[in-house]
Amino acid sequence: MPPYAGTVPSRRDRRARTRALRLLAALAVVELIAGTAGAVALRSREHDRHSSPTVRGGVAPAVDVDAARAAAVRSLLAARATAVRSRDRAAWLATVDPSARAFRDRQGNLFDALGGVPLSDWTYRLDPEGGAPDRPDLDELRGPGWWAPQVTLTYRITGYDVAPTVELQRLTFVPRAGGWFVAADDDFAGAGKDTARGIWDAGPVSVARGTSCIVLGHPGSRSLMRRVAASVDAAVPRVTAVWGPAWSQKVVVLVPSSQSELSRIVGGTGDYSQIAAVATAELNSAATGYHPVGDRIVINPSNFLKLGSLGRRVVLTHEVTHVATRAATGPAAPTWLVEGLADYVGYLGVGVTYAVSAQELRDAVRAGHLPSALPSDHDFDGTNPDLAQVYEQAWTAVSLIAETYGRDGLLRFYRAVGQAEETSSAVDDAFRAALGTDLASFTESWRRDLPTRLR
């Protein structure tokens, strides 16, 4: 079996963090905040904000330090967003701390790399109540008064992102003469709180377009990008024929230049050494269900290039299936069902027998090692040495559902699980409601079926 395709339900941790606001200075330090509305003199946070000092016979209003700082940083973020949308490099760099020379160079490269990306939106949202972990040592590196609130970037790939993609930014802001600036985006990476990275963080971005997809990569990957675009265009109608037309039928694919770049884009600490491609998205919950945003297929170039035409077809059809089914895949869906359905669609029509495409599982069963249960979510960890067999178990289980209850029965069962709340009984409840059986009975049927299917 070729390297596997996978799915990552959530690219990065987006939970609100404990508030971590910094003292602007001890006792009586005054900083200057300059926003588009003018400059505001800040008083020490130690000073009573509700005092009313006399100024030329009048009463000066108390200054809300936190509100003034937040207003200035919002103006700064608005200027950065406008600079990206209007392609104004000078305005973008004007928001960067002049003393952070290495970071300034990287920011210039990032701006240049975005030049070829078709963006219909680029916006920042500030959450002053959310903050990064405390780092007293940054006082020496960034100077007193640094601030690292939670910032969220939203953007859209023109023609593909119906809802904005959402990325968490770990930006450090500093007060300098003349206003506030961005000084870093990686001060908290050591604590596992790095800024979400896009493909543009690694260098210039090239674009390849298909009829159903857009592929973003780097100039040195143009040949591979074109092959990927052609394969995805062929996969979209195959997936639609099974799942139905009720999905966007538009796909965004990223082609990083290396596996390490893939890891930075996907985020987390997963092992992708056995993966040829992976589907990623954020799954936002709401009263009306789970809505995927930022759905992407990310290619692992070193493994993908090892595949022949059949392997590329299976892997990319598998990944496109994840994109098509994402909105129907709620938190109760077990990985064996999600991956099994993707493999079921991926292998349809390729004419490969189970004896050939499920060799690891076949060898285990013939040696008397029949699985005792359907694979757990933990079994799909990239470090599992038996990962091939785990995928094959999922594929054979979903195939048995389709053969026993028909394709409509399989999709009815999948959607029933996807609509369920995240409970331990969701799969069993869906088996009963959609197929008139139960999890235990189906598992025994699957175990009895394997020796025959794999002989």
Side-chain angles (χ1 to χ4, degrees):
M1 184 170 178
Y4 319 106
T7 180
V8 178
S10 181
R11 294 177 67 184
R12 292 176 176 88
D13 183 8
R14 302 196 186 282
R15 293 173 294 177
R17 300 297 180 185
T18 304
R19 190 183 187 197
L21 301 179
R22 302 292 301 163
L23 292 179
L24 291 183
L27 299 179
V29 176
V30 175
E31 298 290 356
L32 187 66
I33 294 182
T36 56
V40 180
L42 297 186
R43 300 182 183 277
S44 167
R45 291 188 62 186
E46 303 299 324
H47 184 72
D48 179 3
R49 295 178 187 168
H50 300 289
S51 64
S52 300
T54 300
V55 179
R56 293 188 179 178
V59 178
V63 176
D64 187 331
V65 174
D66 289 347
R69 177 178 57 187
V73 170
R74 283 193 178 95
S75 295
L76 175 71
L77 291 171
R80 284 171 67 82
T82 299
V84 171
R85 295 193 298 263
S86 62
R87 299 306 304 157
D88 188 337
R89 192 177 194 272
W92 169 264
L93 290 178
T95 68
V96 181
D97 181 9
S99 64
R101 295 179 181 177
F103 178 64
R104 187 179 180 86
D105 289 343
R106 293 197 302 273
Q107 287 282 285
N109 292 337
L110 171 59
F111 184 89
D112 295 341
L114 282 167
V117 182
L119 297 169
S120 58
D121 182 36
W122 187 279
T123 304
Y124 295 99
R125 184 174 65 250
L126 173 68
D127 176 13
E129 300 300 316
D134 197 18
R135 274 197 62 182
D137 61 302
L138 280 186
D139 289 350
E140 182 175 351
L141 179 62
R142 304 295 174 209
W146 63 268
W147 190 36
Q150 182 166 294
V151 174
T152 303
L153 165 67
T154 60
Y155 69 89
R156 298 175 195 249
I157 301 295
T158 304
Y160 290 86
D161 288 333
V162 176
T165 295
V166 181
E167 300 284 10
L168 189 61
Q169 306 285 285
R170 297 289 184 181
L171 305 179
T172 304
F173 302 94
V174 294
R176 299 283 187 254
W180 281 82
F181 299 88
V182 182
D185 66 356
D186 59 356
D187 280 341
F188 306 94
K193 312 299 179 188
D194 196 12
T195 290
R197 302 298 174 182
I199 194 162
W200 36 79
D201 283 278
V205 176
S206 294
V207 177
R209 294 180 181 270
T211 56
S212 303
C213 67
I214 184 170
V215 183
L216 306 181
H218 302 298
S221 301
R222 287 193 181 102
S223 176
L224 174 58
M225 291 164 61
R226 288 192 291 269
R227 276 186 283 167
V228 168
S231 296
V232 171
D233 279 347
V236 167
R238 288 196 292 267
V239 172
T240 301
V242 177
W243 183 252
W247 67 290
S248 69
Q249 299 180 55
K250 296 286 187 179
V251 182
V252 179
V253 187
L254 308 180
V255 180
S257 59
S258 66
Q259 184 175 302
S260 60
E261 185 185 340
L262 176 149
S263 297
R264 290 193 296 272
I265 291 172
V266 173
T269 57
D271 182 350
Y272 303 106
S273 61
Q274 300 184 70
I275 300 295
V278 61
T280 76
E282 288 293 340
L283 206 57
N284 294 337
S285 62
T288 55
Y290 291 84
H291 304 282
V293 298
D295 225 322
R296 304 287 186 259
I297 294 174
V298 190
I299 302 298
N300 185 348
S302 59
N303 286 341
F304 192 84
L305 288 169
K306 298 174 185 176
L307 303 176
S309 59
L310 181 59
R312 293 196 298 270
R313 168 179 169 155
V314 171
V315 165
L316 288 178
T317 304
H318 175 118
E319 296 302 343
V320 172
T321 300
H322 285 316
V323 175
T325 61
R326 184 84 70 185
T329 307
T335 306
W336 71 261
L337 179 59
V338 177
E339 297 297 340
L341 178 67
D343 263 355
Y344 168 76
V345 179
Y347 278 104
L348 277 178
V350 301
V352 178
T353 66
Y354 289 101
V356 172
S357 54
Q359 291 180 2
E360 285 80 359
L361 180 58
R362 179 174 183 259
D363 291 345
V365 170
R366 295 183 74 178
H369 303 301
L370 194 67
S372 60
L374 291 164
S376 68
D377 290 354
H378 178 72
D379 290 334
F380 287 89
D381 188 281
T383 60
N384 185 355
D386 296 322
L387 187 62
Q389 187 179 148
V390 170
Y391 270 84
E392 292 161 6
Q393 290 174 13
W395 175 35
T396 55
V398 169
S399 296
L400 179 61
I401 295 174
E403 292 164 10
T404 305
Y405 302 97
R407 187 178 296 172
D408 289 345
L410 168 61
L411 299 184
R412 185 168 63 247
F413 170 68
Y414 190 96
R415 290 187 169 101
V417 176
Q419 293 169 0
E421 296 296 328
E422 192 169 6
T423 66
S424 58
S425 65
V427 174
D428 198 39
D429 292 343
F431 265 119
R432 295 177 190 276
L435 303 179
T437 186
D438 56 58
L439 177 59
S441 297
F442 171 75
T443 301
E444 284 307 308
S445 297
W446 169 65
R447 294 179 73 246
R448 289 195 302 269
D449 174 75
L450 284 176
T452 301
R453 184 180 297 271
L454 300 172
R455 64 188 176 190

